[in-house]
């Protein structure tokens, strides 16, 4: 199993993954009354979020002489000057109204723990509204959803500086005119918390290995002898380490194409040998495997009728993470989506890291048609797969593209979808297609096919053709 392979690529702030939510030695974290830090009880919640309100920065061209001190004018440059804070690894900016777009640039600088060096200015992706629940859905209308930038992974840091610079209206110079910024701008600093294990198979014993067999036996009960036989073969032929991890619920082990088809036939009650076009199930690291805190999300699940298409995304969190840090990155995105952006759960149905490891995303069952919040207007009858990283100017690793092909061959196959074909979805509303419009799309589409956005990045988007071909081949087409 290739899960949690360590990459040699460094991180912006620190290679260390975990630090307690306390002030670093010699630092004086922001303790003002307006700096809200979510308390983290290690016995109950892993990780925490610091939420710091932004205020006007010195800028003579946009400051009013009669404005009260500390009042955020809508067209002023806003931000925070350099300061010490509690440790964090992921950063983003949110604002009050999810329907208001931030017209401007958001830039951050960070300082690594144990260092006096500050990073260069880094951009946050401001056009993030297209990663959200559909208009009119219960999740969108919950009253908790906020506007937000994409989050950025920076590694372990304890110092931050941020500035939000408004755009100039068309035909105007920024020195004389600027567009208003959204109200309630806040900097969100996310500590993703501790990993459940350094490896999903760490510290296992014979009891855990036996538990894997019991788990599969439970799955087979009531599904027919043929399915039980197939699962037993899966147990006997699988990697022992994977099964140990499966016994702890951290990994759903891979199965062959024949085993996957046999199980699907048995569950569907169809005659054996009908040869459905379903790819072999890849190894999937479960929410338990990457350490999702199930207390954060809503308890209930939302489902759609089918999975007719897969939308491919990049997370826009940057590429400065190692594959061993991917679970931590995922926990950071999860916490940011729920606690900072106000979503019911992480938006994506699945995630893929640069080493090709596949992760379960939004809760509700990896084989089911779970409704996500990934492609505004097209979250019904689709799934969202996010490749962790930013691929606007960087090429996605071949392992990540191969993982997309494997995952889509299996999951789309469960619902009879041909990865190399096209399908019709009905728009729920967005900036490219009006609500109710019937849209013909590739079964494996990029985010930009359903919404006017750069996502999933030009370099990743160019790889989707080969992913479709490989996915269809894995299905036996």
């Amino acid at each position: 199993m290739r899960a949690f392979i360590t990459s040699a690529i460094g991180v912006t702030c620190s290679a260390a993954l975990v630090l307690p939510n306390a002030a670093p030695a010699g630092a004086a974290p922001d303790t003002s009354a307006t700096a809200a830090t979510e308390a983290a009880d290690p016995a109950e919640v892993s990780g925490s979020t610091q939420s710091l309100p932004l205020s006007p920065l010195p800028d003579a061209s946009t400051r009013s002489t009669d404005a009260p001190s500390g009042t955020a004018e809508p067209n002023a440059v806003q931000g925070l000057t350099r300061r010490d804070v509690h440790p964090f690894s992921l950063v983003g900016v949110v604002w009050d109204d999810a329907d208001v777009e931030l017209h401007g640039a958001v830039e951050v600088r960070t300082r690594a723990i144990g260092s006096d060096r500050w990073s260069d200015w880094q951009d946050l992706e401001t056009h993030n509204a297209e990663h959200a629940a559909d208009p009119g859905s219960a999740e969108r209308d919950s009253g908790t959803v906020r506007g937000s930038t994409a989050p950025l992974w920076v590694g372990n840091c304890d110092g931050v500086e941020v500035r939000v610079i408004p755009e100039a209206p068309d035909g105007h110079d920024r020195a004389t005119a600027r567009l208003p910024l959204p109200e309630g701008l806040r900097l969100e600093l996310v500590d993703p918390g501790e990993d459940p294990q350094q490896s999903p198979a760490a510290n296992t014993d014979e009891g855990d290995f036996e538990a894997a067999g019991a788990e599969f036996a439970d799955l087979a009960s009531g599904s027919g002898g043929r399915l039980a036989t197939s699962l037993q073969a899966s147990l006997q032929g699988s990697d022992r380490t994977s099964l140990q991890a499966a016994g702890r619920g951290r990994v759903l082990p891979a199965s062959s194409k024949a085993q996957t088809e046999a199980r699907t036939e048995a569950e569907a009650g169809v005659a054996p040998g009908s040869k459905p076009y379903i790819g072999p199930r890849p190894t999937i690291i479960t929410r338990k495997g990457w350490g999702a805190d199930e207390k954060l999300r809503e308890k209930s699940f939302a489902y759609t009728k089918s999975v007719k298409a897969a939308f491919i995304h990049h997370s826009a969190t940057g590429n400065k993470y190692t594959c061993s840090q991917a679970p931590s990155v995922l926990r950071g995105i999860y916490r940011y989506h729920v606690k900072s952006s106000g979503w019911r759960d992480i938006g994506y149905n699945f995630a893929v890291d640069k080493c090709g490891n596949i992760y379960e995303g939004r809760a509700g069952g990896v084989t089911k048609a779970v409704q996500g919040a990934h492609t505004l207007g097209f979250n019904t009858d689709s799934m969202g797969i996010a490749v962790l990283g930013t691929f606007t100017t960087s090429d996605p690793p071949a392992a990540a593209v191969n993982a997309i092909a494997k995952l889509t061959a299996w999951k789309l196959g469960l619902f009879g979808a041909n990865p190399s074909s096209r399908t019709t979805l009905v728009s729920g509303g967005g900036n490219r297609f009006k609500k109710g419009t019937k849209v013909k799309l590739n079964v494996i589409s990029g985010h930009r096919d359903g919404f006017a956005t750069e996502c999933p990045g030009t370099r990743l988007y160019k790889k989707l053709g080969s992913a479709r071909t490989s996915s269809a081949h894995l299905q036996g087409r």
Side-chain angles (χ1 to χ4, degrees):
M1 189 183 74
R2 301 179 55 234
F4 301 93
I5 299 172
T6 302
S7 167
I9 299 175
V11 296
T12 302
C13 281
S14 173
L17 286 179
V18 179
L19 282 175
N21 186 37
D30 192 315
T31 56
S32 66
T34 55
T37 301
E38 176 196 349
D41 181 351
E44 295 184 358
V45 178
S46 178
S48 62
T49 303
Q50 301 169 73
S51 186
L52 309 176
L54 304 189
S55 57
L57 295 176
D59 184 47
S61 65
T62 59
R63 290 299 302 273
S64 170
T65 56
D66 58 356
S69 176
T71 299
E73 296 180 69
N75 64 338
V77 175
Q78 296 186 39
L80 293 173
T81 55
R82 289 186 183 186
R83 65 191 59 208
D84 298 327
V85 291
H86 292 287
F88 68 97
S89 296
L90 183 135
V91 58
V93 168
V94 302
W95 54 93
D96 294 341
D97 191 344
D99 293 324
V100 173
E101 187 175 354
L102 193 161
H103 295 282
V106 179
E107 302 172 340
V108 297
R109 298 180 71 182
T110 54
R111 184 192 61 209
I113 288 177
S115 170
D116 59 1
R117 249 180 337 112
W118 286 80
S119 72
D120 295 331
W121 286 105
Q122 301 176 82
D123 293 326
L124 300 186
E125 174 56 63
T126 58
H127 300 291
N128 192 52
E130 63 268 23
H131 298 83
D134 290 348
S137 65
E139 182 173 2
R140 179 73 178 192
D141 295 341
S142 64
T144 65
V145 178
R146 304 179 187 91
S148 61
T149 68
L152 179 70
W153 174 262
V154 293
N156 265 344
C157 300
D158 61 5
V160 69
E161 180 180 7
V162 62
R163 61 191 184 193
V164 182
I165 306 169
E167 288 180 0
D170 291 341
H172 290 75
D173 184 87
R174 181 178 285 164
T176 58
R178 287 174 172 164
L179 293 170
L181 293 174
E183 295 182 358
L185 287 168
R186 303 182 71 87
L187 177 67
E188 302 288 292
L189 304 176
V190 180
D191 167 18
E194 297 186 5
D195 281 322
Q197 299 280 349
Q198 287 298 316
S199 164
N203 301 320
T204 56
D205 54 28
E206 288 300 318
D208 297 322
F209 184 73
E210 295 299 327
E215 180 179 11
F216 283 115
D218 289 341
L219 289 171
S221 63
S223 299
R226 189 168 187 271
L227 176 58
T229 301
S230 173
L231 292 174
Q232 184 61 35
S234 176
L235 275 172
Q236 293 172 350
S238 296
D239 175 78
R240 181 183 179 87
T241 303
S242 298
L243 291 174
Q244 288 175 326
R248 302 176 72 93
R250 301 191 188 283
V251 169
L252 184 64
S255 63
S256 70
K257 180 172 173 56
Q259 292 161 358
T260 303
E261 290 176 348
R263 175 170 185 162
T264 304
E265 290 168 356
E267 291 177 339
V270 300
S274 61
K275 294 188 180 300
Y277 290 109
I278 303 174
R281 184 184 67 203
T283 299
I284 300 173
I285 300 168
T286 66
R287 289 172 64 90
K288 184 176 181 180
W290 55 264
D293 184 348
E294 303 299 352
K295 300 182 187 70
L296 294 181
R297 64 170 176 83
E298 286 189 11
K299 293 182 179 179
S300 60
F301 308 120
Y303 298 99
T304 61
K305 292 181 180 180
S306 182
V307 179
K308 299 169 64 178
F311 286 98
I312 310 304
H313 306 257
H314 66 176
S315 63
T317 46
N319 302 321
K320 296 178 180 179
Y321 72 94
T322 65
C323 291
S324 63
Q325 290 175 316
S328 190
V329 175
L330 205 53
R331 288 196 308 277
I333 296 173
Y334 171 44
R335 177 173 281 275
Y336 184 75
H337 281 181
V338 176
K339 302 298 290 186
S340 300
S341 303
W343 300 357
R344 66 183 301 156
D345 195 349
I346 191 170
Y348 310 113
N349 297 103
F350 294 93
V352 172
D353 69 23
K354 63 175 68 174
C355 288
N357 299 306
I358 299 171
Y359 302 83
E360 176 186 11
R362 180 164 287 208
V366 293
T367 63
K368 297 182 179 180
V370 178
Q371 186 173 40
H374 49 84
T375 304
L376 185 70
F378 291 99
N379 291 305
T380 296
D381 294 342
S382 73
M383 68 173 178
I385 302 171
V387 180
L388 300 181
T390 304
F391 303 106
T392 304
T393 58
S394 298
D395 289 327
V401 178
N402 290 337
I404 292 172
K406 293 175 183 178
L407 177 57
T408 53
W410 169 71
K411 183 62 182 280
L412 290 172
L414 296 179
F415 293 87
N418 180 351
S420 61
S421 183
R422 291 170 69 82
T423 189
T424 300
L425 297 178
V426 179
S427 172
N431 68 356
R432 187 166 183 177
F433 301 102
K434 293 182 179 180
K435 184 175 182 179
T437 304
K438 293 182 178 180
V439 184
K440 198 82 170 178
L441 294 163
N442 288 316
V443 168
I444 298 179
S445 285
H447 186 183
R448 62 176 62 180
D449 294 323
F451 197 97
T453 174
E454 289 188 2
C455 186
T458 301
R459 299 291 183 91
L460 177 55
Y461 187 77
K462 289 181 178 179
K463 298 292 184 180
L464 296 188
S466 61
R468 294 183 192 106
T469 301
S470 298
S471 182
H473 178 74
L474 288 169
Q475 285 191 348
R477 296 182 186 272

